[in-house]
Amino acid sequence: MGTANNVLIFADIRNGTLRQVTFEAISVAHQMANGGEVHLAILESLDPNQIESLKQLKLDRMWHVDHPLLKTFNLDAYVETWVHLIDLLNPDVILTGHTALGRDVSPRVAARKRIGLLSDCIKLDTSSTYEFVFTRPIYAGKAYVQRTITKPPFFVTLRPNNFVAHFDTSLDQSIEIKTFHPNLSQISLRTVVTDVVRKVTSGVDLSEANVIVAGGRGVKSKEGFAPLEELAVVLGGAVGASRGACDAGYADYALQIGQTGKVVTPDLYIACGISGAIQHLAGMSMSKTIVAINIDPEAPIFEVADYGIVGDLFEVVPLLTKEWQRINR
Amino acid sequence: MEILICMKQTFDTEEKIFIQNGEIDDDGVERIINPYCEYAVEEGIRIKEAHGGTVRLITIGGAEAEAAIRTAMAMGVDEGYRLDLTDFPADSDEQTTSECIVQLIKQKQIPYDVILCGYMSIDNGTAQVGPRIAELLGIPHISTITSLTVDGRQVQVERDVEGDLEKVESSLPILLTAQQGLNEPRYPRLPDIMKAKRKPLHRMKWDELRVDVQMIQARTKKVAILPVEEKETGQILSGTIKEQSQELIRLLHEEAKVL
Ligand SMILES: Cc1cc2nc3c(=O)[nH]c(=O)nc-3n(C[C@H](O)[C@H](O)[C@H](O)COP(=O)(O)OP(=O)(O)OC[C@H]3O[C@@H](n4cnc5c(N)ncnc54)[C@H](O)[C@@H]3O)c2cc1C
Ligand SMILES: Nc1ncnc2c1ncn2[C@@H]1O[C@H](COP(=O)(O)O)[C@@H](O)[C@H]1O
């Protein structure tokens, strides 16, 4: 098994807080470093309260990258800053989430540095004769490939919700936060974000939710999602949707799960009125436990379901809510 | 307007995946244009229809990929390049694919104002190749676009960012990756299918690129391809709907322990 001397993680931030996938990257980093140094780089403005709490995390150093061009996402500025930090720290492992941010920045940085990049990894194996072996789904989740990197640095993006998150704050001493000022005076910003229309409402982040109640075309209307939302609330989860439901206007595209939408790996996925098309399965088939509720016993969703109820979702879903409330009282 | 599309042929989405001697078995499989590349092809043709110009296409693939190239030509692509990496003497990965495409563009002096890629391939699925090409060419990219307006040398784009909608402005030359929602790809008409057979298709072997194998060979290495473990057949509950609902909650709580 290999060890890395120096691991660098690029944080992913949403609404001023670190996304869960960053904590997952920290635990992968510790597995790979096995005693080596772990660095975390934070580029966007983070809530000052969170910075304080992060000081207790088991990290060797945090880099707070401060530059006016990085306050909001800009591709050129981000690529340049990542490259600067990699040149400065010379890590043998670079980790980030396989999120919109990671997907945009990591391939450009990898191409610039002519290094290998393993994208969308779901598992790390350290027991092989190779240094580190990562597993990633291929063919829309119909097979897996295990790959390794032939020459450091190891550059890896992690699919959210597939690794145990690290929240260990056992350090008795708070770690040092270094401020890094990248020199971005030479770069031209060739793309400019003029507007962001937020459709993702507050509440549980879909790609990080432990429980997802998802509705498809079988939900039949926008109002039809109300019982699904009630169930999601009592289970502490989030609501998702199939492309069918989004196309029909019952749900916003922000909720779409599947190849084109979000890829999710919750502990519990409840599919209501979803037929189970391959593009939908690509986004959820790795959920730990899958429940299907569908009036059609032949629906392909039952092939991936651990538990199935053949029945009308409008009858079943409210009964599930009631039953959970009853035994939880 | 000079439009260039990077298109990949993939297995039909409905194909089952079998593993033979540690490799994906491709014997007799149906193949299609990678769906996200199909949006790229359609968008390229629409840009030409609106602004004039030429639509060219590059595919890295074996002889079987020519069916996909001809389909794209029947949709409206003018000229194609197929680069064959079959005899490449080393491992290849996204680094190899993107370096080869860039070398091909440079050597053949293929002009471009807009390069269109799919946001991901549905087989390999890394979403790396588009952004890597842009970086190697030194041009900007915008990924997962759902709407595009070209106005002179300016481009306005709407893109999907994990469900949020982002509006981005930039200028040519640029590389764009296509997300579902960008357009509805057309079906080729019969006369166009006939015409497509006569459109120029250039075939190249990797060694004609005169590239340094060391420089472009894979930086990653395959260790194994694994099947998805057959899931045990799930349990279809029985009884009245009320009984089933109660039983399901009990099972999730006590057996699966996810509640
Ligand atoms: C390139 C590409 C990308 C795609 N990406 C995605 C993606 O990311 N995500 C995605 O989901 N799809 C995606 N699709 C679309 C996908 O192929 C399917 O069309 C879609 O998933 C179907 O949605 P659905 O299951 O809700 O609808 P349907 O297939 O119409 O299924 C509705 C189901 O509801 C059941 N039903 C009806 N009434 C009830 C009731 N009262 N109670 C219980 N059950 C009921 C029916 O039996 C049926 O099984 C993509 C397609 C392409 C080509
Ligand atoms: N073999 C190939 N030939 C041409 N273009 C490719 C090839 N592989 C990938 N691409 C392009 O890169 C995109 C993303 O592919 P990937 O990085 O494999 O997910 C595809 O949609 C294509 O536009």
Side-chain angles (χ1 to χ4, degrees), chain A residues 215-220 241-245 247 256-262 272-281 293-296 299-301 311-314, chain B residues 35-36 39 122 180:
Chain A
R217 215 186 293 272
V219 173
K220 294 190 180 72
S242 72
R243 176 94 200 177
D247 281 345
Q256 186 182 323
I257 288 166
Q259 197 174 70
T260 324
K262 294 208 171 74
C272 313
I274 294 176
S275 61
I278 182 67
Q279 296 88 356
H280 188 77
L281 301 186
I293 302 164
N294 199 302
I295 37 168
D296 175 9
I301 189 74
D312 184 346
L313 72 94
F314 294 106
Chain B
Y36 298 96
Y39 302 123
I122 60 167
Q180 186 172 11

Short mmCIF file of all heavy atoms in Angstrom, two decimals, chain A residues 215-220 241-245 247 256-262 272-281 293-296 299-301 311-314, chain B residues 35-36 39 122 180, ligand 1:
data_model
loop_
_atom_site.label_atom_id
_atom_site.label_comp_id
_atom_site.label_asym_id
_atom_site.label_seq_id
_atom_site.Cartn_x
_atom_site.Cartn_y
_atom_site.Cartn_z
N GLY A 215 -40.27 11.64 -7.21
CA GLY A 215 -41.50 11.42 -7.95
C GLY A 215 -41.28 11.47 -9.45
O GLY A 215 -40.42 12.20 -9.93
N GLY A 216 -42.09 10.71 -10.18
CA GLY A 216 -41.99 10.68 -11.63
C GLY A 216 -43.29 11.16 -12.28
O GLY A 216 -44.12 11.78 -11.61
N ARG A 217 -43.43 10.81 -13.53
CA ARG A 217 -44.62 11.22 -14.27
C ARG A 217 -45.89 10.69 -13.59
O ARG A 217 -46.96 11.28 -13.72
CB ARG A 217 -44.53 10.69 -15.70
CG ARG A 217 -45.13 11.61 -16.73
CD ARG A 217 -45.13 10.96 -18.10
NE ARG A 217 -43.80 10.76 -18.64
CZ ARG A 217 -43.15 11.68 -19.36
NH1 ARG A 217 -43.72 12.82 -19.62
NH2 ARG A 217 -41.94 11.44 -19.82
N GLY A 218 -45.75 9.59 -12.85
CA GLY A 218 -46.89 9.03 -12.14
C GLY A 218 -47.47 9.95 -11.09
O GLY A 218 -48.59 9.74 -10.61
N VAL A 219 -46.75 10.99 -10.70
CA VAL A 219 -47.24 11.93 -9.68
C VAL A 219 -48.32 12.85 -10.29
O VAL A 219 -49.12 13.45 -9.58
CB VAL A 219 -46.06 12.74 -9.08
CG1 VAL A 219 -46.53 13.83 -8.14
CG2 VAL A 219 -45.13 11.80 -8.32
N LYS A 220 -48.31 12.95 -11.60
CA LYS A 220 -49.43 13.54 -12.38
C LYS A 220 -49.63 15.04 -12.32
O LYS A 220 -50.33 15.60 -13.17
CB LYS A 220 -50.75 12.85 -12.04
CG LYS A 220 -50.77 11.40 -12.49
CD LYS A 220 -52.16 10.79 -12.39
CE LYS A 220 -52.17 9.35 -12.84
NZ LYS A 220 -51.51 8.42 -11.90
N ALA A 241 -36.82 14.23 -8.41
CA ALA A 241 -37.77 13.98 -9.49
C ALA A 241 -37.08 13.31 -10.66
O ALA A 241 -35.86 13.38 -10.82
CB ALA A 241 -38.41 15.28 -9.94
N SER A 242 -37.89 12.65 -11.48
CA SER A 242 -37.38 12.09 -12.74
C SER A 242 -37.45 13.16 -13.82
O SER A 242 -38.14 14.17 -13.66
CB SER A 242 -38.22 10.90 -13.17
OG SER A 242 -39.47 11.37 -13.63
N ARG A 243 -36.77 12.92 -14.90
CA ARG A 243 -36.87 13.82 -16.04
C ARG A 243 -38.32 13.91 -16.53
O ARG A 243 -38.79 14.97 -16.91
CB ARG A 243 -35.99 13.26 -17.17
CG ARG A 243 -36.05 14.02 -18.45
CD ARG A 243 -34.95 15.04 -18.53
NE ARG A 243 -35.26 16.08 -19.50
CZ ARG A 243 -34.48 17.13 -19.72
NH1 ARG A 243 -33.37 17.27 -19.02
NH2 ARG A 243 -34.79 18.03 -20.59
N GLY A 244 -39.00 12.77 -16.48
CA GLY A 244 -40.40 12.76 -16.91
C GLY A 244 -41.22 13.79 -16.15
O GLY A 244 -41.99 14.56 -16.73
N ALA A 245 -41.04 13.82 -14.82
CA ALA A 245 -41.80 14.77 -13.99
C ALA A 245 -41.37 16.21 -14.29
O ALA A 245 -42.21 17.12 -14.29
CB ALA A 245 -41.59 14.44 -12.51
N ASP A 247 -40.01 17.38 -17.18
CA ASP A 247 -40.47 17.75 -18.53
C ASP A 247 -41.95 18.10 -18.51
O ASP A 247 -42.40 18.97 -19.25
CB ASP A 247 -40.25 16.59 -19.51
CG ASP A 247 -38.80 16.51 -19.99
OD1 ASP A 247 -38.07 17.50 -19.79
OD2 ASP A 247 -38.42 15.48 -20.55
N GLN A 256 -34.06 17.31 -10.69
CA GLN A 256 -33.89 16.13 -11.55
C GLN A 256 -32.73 15.23 -11.13
O GLN A 256 -31.62 15.68 -10.89
CB GLN A 256 -33.67 16.56 -13.00
CG GLN A 256 -33.63 15.37 -13.95
CD GLN A 256 -33.35 15.79 -15.38
OE1 GLN A 256 -33.83 16.82 -15.81
NE2 GLN A 256 -32.58 14.99 -16.09
N ILE A 257 -33.05 13.94 -11.06
CA ILE A 257 -32.05 12.94 -10.72
C ILE A 257 -31.79 12.06 -11.94
O ILE A 257 -32.73 11.71 -12.65
CB ILE A 257 -32.54 12.10 -9.52
CG1 ILE A 257 -32.48 12.99 -8.26
CG2 ILE A 257 -31.70 10.84 -9.33
CD1 ILE A 257 -33.21 12.45 -7.10
N GLY A 258 -30.55 11.76 -12.18
CA GLY A 258 -30.20 10.91 -13.32
C GLY A 258 -28.94 11.38 -13.98
O GLY A 258 -28.25 12.26 -13.47
N GLN A 259 -28.69 10.80 -15.13
CA GLN A 259 -27.46 11.10 -15.85
C GLN A 259 -27.31 12.60 -16.15
O GLN A 259 -26.25 13.17 -16.01
CB GLN A 259 -27.53 10.33 -17.16
CG GLN A 259 -26.24 10.21 -17.85
CD GLN A 259 -26.45 9.29 -19.04
OE1 GLN A 259 -27.10 9.65 -20.01
NE2 GLN A 259 -25.92 8.10 -18.93
N THR A 260 -28.41 13.22 -16.56
CA THR A 260 -28.38 14.64 -16.92
C THR A 260 -28.50 15.52 -15.69
O THR A 260 -28.13 16.68 -15.71
CB THR A 260 -29.55 14.97 -17.85
OG1 THR A 260 -29.78 13.87 -18.71
CG2 THR A 260 -29.29 16.20 -18.66
N GLY A 261 -29.09 14.98 -14.65
CA GLY A 261 -29.34 15.78 -13.45
C GLY A 261 -28.34 15.45 -12.37
O GLY A 261 -27.14 15.36 -12.62
N LYS A 262 -28.83 15.26 -11.17
CA LYS A 262 -27.92 14.96 -10.06
C LYS A 262 -27.72 13.47 -9.92
O LYS A 262 -28.63 12.68 -10.13
CB LYS A 262 -28.51 15.51 -8.77
CG LYS A 262 -28.57 17.03 -8.79
CD LYS A 262 -28.48 17.59 -7.38
CE LYS A 262 -28.31 19.09 -7.42
NZ LYS A 262 -29.56 19.78 -7.78
N CYS A 272 -41.31 7.01 -6.50
CA CYS A 272 -42.77 6.97 -6.57
C CYS A 272 -43.23 7.33 -7.98
O CYS A 272 -42.98 8.43 -8.45
CB CYS A 272 -43.38 7.97 -5.60
SG CYS A 272 -42.68 7.93 -3.94
N GLY A 273 -43.87 6.40 -8.67
CA GLY A 273 -44.37 6.68 -10.01
C GLY A 273 -43.26 6.97 -11.00
O GLY A 273 -43.39 7.83 -11.86
N ILE A 274 -42.15 6.26 -10.85
CA ILE A 274 -41.00 6.39 -11.76
C ILE A 274 -40.81 5.02 -12.42
O ILE A 274 -40.75 4.00 -11.73
CB ILE A 274 -39.72 6.79 -10.98
CG1 ILE A 274 -39.89 8.20 -10.41
CG2 ILE A 274 -38.48 6.70 -11.87
CD1 ILE A 274 -38.73 8.68 -9.56
N SER A 275 -40.69 5.01 -13.76
CA SER A 275 -40.64 3.70 -14.44
C SER A 275 -39.28 3.03 -14.30
O SER A 275 -39.19 1.81 -14.29
CB SER A 275 -40.98 3.87 -15.92
OG SER A 275 -40.05 4.74 -16.55
N GLY A 276 -38.20 3.83 -14.20
CA GLY A 276 -36.87 3.24 -14.04
C GLY A 276 -36.08 3.16 -15.33
O GLY A 276 -35.40 2.16 -15.59
N ALA A 277 -36.15 4.21 -16.15
CA ALA A 277 -35.36 4.27 -17.38
C ALA A 277 -33.88 4.28 -17.03
O ALA A 277 -33.48 4.75 -15.97
CB ALA A 277 -35.72 5.54 -18.17
N ILE A 278 -33.06 3.78 -17.97
CA ILE A 278 -31.63 3.66 -17.72
C ILE A 278 -30.99 4.99 -17.31
O ILE A 278 -30.14 5.03 -16.43
CB ILE A 278 -30.90 3.02 -18.94
CG1 ILE A 278 -29.42 2.83 -18.65
CG2 ILE A 278 -31.08 3.80 -20.22
CD1 ILE A 278 -29.11 1.82 -17.61
N GLN A 279 -31.44 6.09 -17.93
CA GLN A 279 -30.86 7.40 -17.58
C GLN A 279 -31.22 7.81 -16.16
O GLN A 279 -30.50 8.57 -15.53
CB GLN A 279 -31.31 8.48 -18.54
CG GLN A 279 -30.86 8.30 -19.97
CD GLN A 279 -31.83 7.46 -20.78
OE1 GLN A 279 -32.82 6.94 -20.25
NE2 GLN A 279 -31.55 7.32 -22.06
N HIS A 280 -32.38 7.34 -15.68
CA HIS A 280 -32.74 7.63 -14.30
C HIS A 280 -31.90 6.76 -13.35
O HIS A 280 -31.34 7.26 -12.38
CB HIS A 280 -34.23 7.43 -14.05
CG HIS A 280 -34.66 7.90 -12.70
ND1 HIS A 280 -34.83 9.25 -12.43
CD2 HIS A 280 -34.87 7.25 -11.54
CE1 HIS A 280 -35.16 9.37 -11.14
NE2 HIS A 280 -35.18 8.19 -10.59
N LEU A 281 -31.79 5.47 -13.71
CA LEU A 281 -31.00 4.56 -12.86
C LEU A 281 -29.56 5.03 -12.73
O LEU A 281 -28.94 4.87 -11.67
CB LEU A 281 -31.03 3.14 -13.44
CG LEU A 281 -32.41 2.47 -13.60
CD1 LEU A 281 -32.24 1.03 -14.04
CD2 LEU A 281 -33.21 2.55 -12.31
N ILE A 293 -42.42 2.33 -5.63
CA ILE A 293 -43.88 2.32 -5.51
C ILE A 293 -44.43 2.63 -6.89
O ILE A 293 -44.20 3.71 -7.44
CB ILE A 293 -44.36 3.37 -4.49
CG1 ILE A 293 -43.73 3.11 -3.12
CG2 ILE A 293 -45.89 3.38 -4.40
CD1 ILE A 293 -43.82 4.27 -2.17
N ASN A 294 -45.11 1.65 -7.49
CA ASN A 294 -45.55 1.81 -8.87
C ASN A 294 -46.77 0.93 -9.10
O ASN A 294 -46.82 -0.20 -8.60
CB ASN A 294 -44.41 1.41 -9.82
CG ASN A 294 -44.60 1.97 -11.22
OD1 ASN A 294 -45.62 1.69 -11.86
ND2 ASN A 294 -43.64 2.77 -11.66
N ILE A 295 -47.73 1.43 -9.88
CA ILE A 295 -48.92 0.60 -10.14
C ILE A 295 -48.65 -0.52 -11.15
O ILE A 295 -49.41 -1.46 -11.23
CB ILE A 295 -50.13 1.42 -10.70
CG1 ILE A 295 -49.63 2.51 -11.65
CG2 ILE A 295 -51.01 1.96 -9.59
CD1 ILE A 295 -50.71 3.17 -12.44
N ASP A 296 -47.54 -0.38 -11.88
CA ASP A 296 -47.25 -1.37 -12.91
C ASP A 296 -46.22 -2.38 -12.40
O ASP A 296 -45.06 -2.05 -12.22
CB ASP A 296 -46.71 -0.64 -14.15
CG ASP A 296 -46.26 -1.59 -15.23
OD1 ASP A 296 -46.52 -2.81 -15.11
OD2 ASP A 296 -45.64 -1.12 -16.21
N ALA A 299 -42.84 -2.61 -14.18
CA ALA A 299 -41.96 -1.43 -14.32
C ALA A 299 -40.52 -1.83 -13.97
O ALA A 299 -40.27 -2.50 -12.97
CB ALA A 299 -42.43 -0.30 -13.40
N PRO A 300 -39.55 -1.43 -14.82
CA PRO A 300 -38.15 -1.83 -14.60
C PRO A 300 -37.56 -1.35 -13.27
O PRO A 300 -36.58 -1.92 -12.80
CB PRO A 300 -37.40 -1.20 -15.78
CG PRO A 300 -38.39 -0.52 -16.63
CD PRO A 300 -39.75 -0.71 -16.08
N ILE A 301 -38.18 -0.36 -12.65
CA ILE A 301 -37.64 0.14 -11.38
C ILE A 301 -37.63 -0.98 -10.32
O ILE A 301 -36.77 -1.01 -9.45
CB ILE A 301 -38.46 1.37 -10.87
CG1 ILE A 301 -37.81 2.05 -9.68
CG2 ILE A 301 -39.90 0.99 -10.52
CD1 ILE A 301 -36.60 2.88 -9.97
N GLY A 311 -48.75 -0.52 -6.24
CA GLY A 311 -49.95 0.18 -5.78
C GLY A 311 -49.90 1.65 -6.17
O GLY A 311 -48.91 2.13 -6.74
N ASP A 312 -50.98 2.31 -5.85
CA ASP A 312 -51.15 3.72 -6.19
C ASP A 312 -50.37 4.59 -5.19
O ASP A 312 -50.61 4.54 -3.99
CB ASP A 312 -52.65 4.06 -6.14
CG ASP A 312 -52.94 5.48 -6.56
OD1 ASP A 312 -52.00 6.30 -6.64
OD2 ASP A 312 -54.12 5.78 -6.80
N LEU A 313 -49.45 5.37 -5.71
CA LEU A 313 -48.61 6.18 -4.82
C LEU A 313 -49.43 7.13 -3.96
O LEU A 313 -49.03 7.47 -2.84
CB LEU A 313 -47.55 6.93 -5.64
CG LEU A 313 -47.96 8.11 -6.52
CD1 LEU A 313 -47.81 9.44 -5.78
CD2 LEU A 313 -47.10 8.15 -7.77
N PHE A 314 -50.57 7.59 -4.49
CA PHE A 314 -51.37 8.54 -3.71
C PHE A 314 -52.01 7.89 -2.49
O PHE A 314 -52.39 8.55 -1.54
CB PHE A 314 -52.44 9.19 -4.60
CG PHE A 314 -51.82 10.05 -5.66
CD1 PHE A 314 -51.78 9.63 -6.99
CD2 PHE A 314 -51.22 11.27 -5.33
CE1 PHE A 314 -51.18 10.41 -7.97
CE2 PHE A 314 -50.62 12.05 -6.30
CZ PHE A 314 -50.60 11.62 -7.63
N PRO B 35 -25.44 10.51 -26.87
CA PRO B 35 -26.57 11.46 -26.85
C PRO B 35 -26.16 12.92 -26.63
O PRO B 35 -26.71 13.82 -27.24
CB PRO B 35 -27.43 10.96 -25.70
CG PRO B 35 -27.10 9.51 -25.57
CD PRO B 35 -25.68 9.34 -26.01
N TYR B 36 -25.17 13.16 -25.76
CA TYR B 36 -24.77 14.55 -25.50
C TYR B 36 -24.01 15.13 -26.69
O TYR B 36 -24.06 16.33 -26.94
CB TYR B 36 -23.96 14.64 -24.20
CG TYR B 36 -24.79 14.19 -23.02
CD1 TYR B 36 -24.72 12.89 -22.54
CD2 TYR B 36 -25.72 15.06 -22.43
CE1 TYR B 36 -25.52 12.46 -21.49
CE2 TYR B 36 -26.52 14.63 -21.38
CZ TYR B 36 -26.42 13.33 -20.92
OH TYR B 36 -27.23 12.92 -19.89
N TYR B 39 -26.58 16.41 -29.28
CA TYR B 39 -27.00 17.81 -29.06
C TYR B 39 -25.95 18.77 -29.64
O TYR B 39 -26.29 19.82 -30.16
CB TYR B 39 -27.21 18.11 -27.58
CG TYR B 39 -28.23 17.22 -26.90
CD1 TYR B 39 -27.89 16.46 -25.78
CD2 TYR B 39 -29.53 17.13 -27.38
CE1 TYR B 39 -28.81 15.62 -25.16
CE2 TYR B 39 -30.45 16.29 -26.77
CZ TYR B 39 -30.09 15.55 -25.66
OH TYR B 39 -31.00 14.73 -25.05
N ILE B 122 -21.53 8.71 -22.51
CA ILE B 122 -22.31 7.86 -21.60
C ILE B 122 -21.60 6.54 -21.30
O ILE B 122 -22.04 5.78 -20.46
CB ILE B 122 -23.74 7.59 -22.12
CG1 ILE B 122 -23.72 6.88 -23.47
CG2 ILE B 122 -24.53 8.89 -22.20
CD1 ILE B 122 -25.08 6.34 -23.86
N GLN B 180 -28.41 18.15 -21.99
CA GLN B 180 -29.77 17.93 -22.45
C GLN B 180 -30.59 19.18 -22.22
O GLN B 180 -30.41 19.87 -21.22
CB GLN B 180 -30.42 16.75 -21.73
CG GLN B 180 -31.77 16.43 -22.32
CD GLN B 180 -32.40 15.16 -21.78
OE1 GLN B 180 -31.93 14.61 -20.80
NE2 GLN B 180 -33.45 14.71 -22.42
C1 LIG C 1 -29.74 11.83 -23.16
C2 LIG C 1 -30.85 11.55 -22.19
C3 LIG C 1 -30.68 11.89 -20.87
C4 LIG C 1 -31.69 11.64 -19.93
N1 LIG C 1 -31.46 11.97 -18.64
C5 LIG C 1 -32.40 11.67 -17.71
C6 LIG C 1 -32.17 11.96 -16.33
O1 LIG C 1 -31.14 12.54 -15.94
N2 LIG C 1 -33.12 11.61 -15.43
C7 LIG C 1 -34.29 10.97 -15.79
O2 LIG C 1 -35.11 10.66 -14.89
N3 LIG C 1 -34.55 10.71 -17.07
C8 LIG C 1 -33.64 11.05 -18.04
N4 LIG C 1 -33.93 10.80 -19.36
C9 LIG C 1 -35.31 10.36 -19.71
C10 LIG C 1 -35.62 8.89 -19.46
O3 LIG C 1 -35.26 8.16 -20.62
C11 LIG C 1 -37.14 8.66 -19.18
O4 LIG C 1 -37.87 9.21 -20.25
C12 LIG C 1 -37.63 9.29 -17.87
O5 LIG C 1 -36.79 8.93 -16.79
C13 LIG C 1 -39.04 8.83 -17.61
O6 LIG C 1 -39.57 9.46 -16.45
P1 LIG C 1 -40.69 8.74 -15.55
O7 LIG C 1 -40.21 7.44 -15.06
O8 LIG C 1 -41.14 9.72 -14.53
O9 LIG C 1 -41.93 8.59 -16.57
P2 LIG C 1 -42.57 7.31 -17.20
O10 LIG C 1 -41.57 6.48 -17.89
O11 LIG C 1 -43.74 7.80 -17.97
O12 LIG C 1 -43.07 6.47 -15.96
C14 LIG C 1 -44.16 6.82 -15.13
C15 LIG C 1 -44.41 5.65 -14.18
O13 LIG C 1 -45.41 6.01 -13.23
C16 LIG C 1 -46.21 4.88 -12.97
N5 LIG C 1 -47.48 5.37 -12.41
C17 LIG C 1 -48.47 6.06 -13.05
N6 LIG C 1 -49.45 6.40 -12.17
C18 LIG C 1 -49.07 5.92 -10.96
C19 LIG C 1 -49.68 5.95 -9.66
N7 LIG C 1 -50.85 6.56 -9.43
N8 LIG C 1 -49.03 5.35 -8.65
C20 LIG C 1 -47.83 4.72 -8.86
N9 LIG C 1 -47.23 4.67 -10.07
C21 LIG C 1 -47.83 5.26 -11.10
C22 LIG C 1 -46.32 4.17 -14.31
O14 LIG C 1 -46.63 2.81 -14.14
C23 LIG C 1 -44.91 4.39 -14.88
O15 LIG C 1 -44.05 3.31 -14.56
C24 LIG C 1 -32.93 11.04 -20.33
C25 LIG C 1 -33.10 10.69 -21.66
C26 LIG C 1 -32.08 10.94 -22.60
C27 LIG C 1 -32.30 10.55 -24.02
#
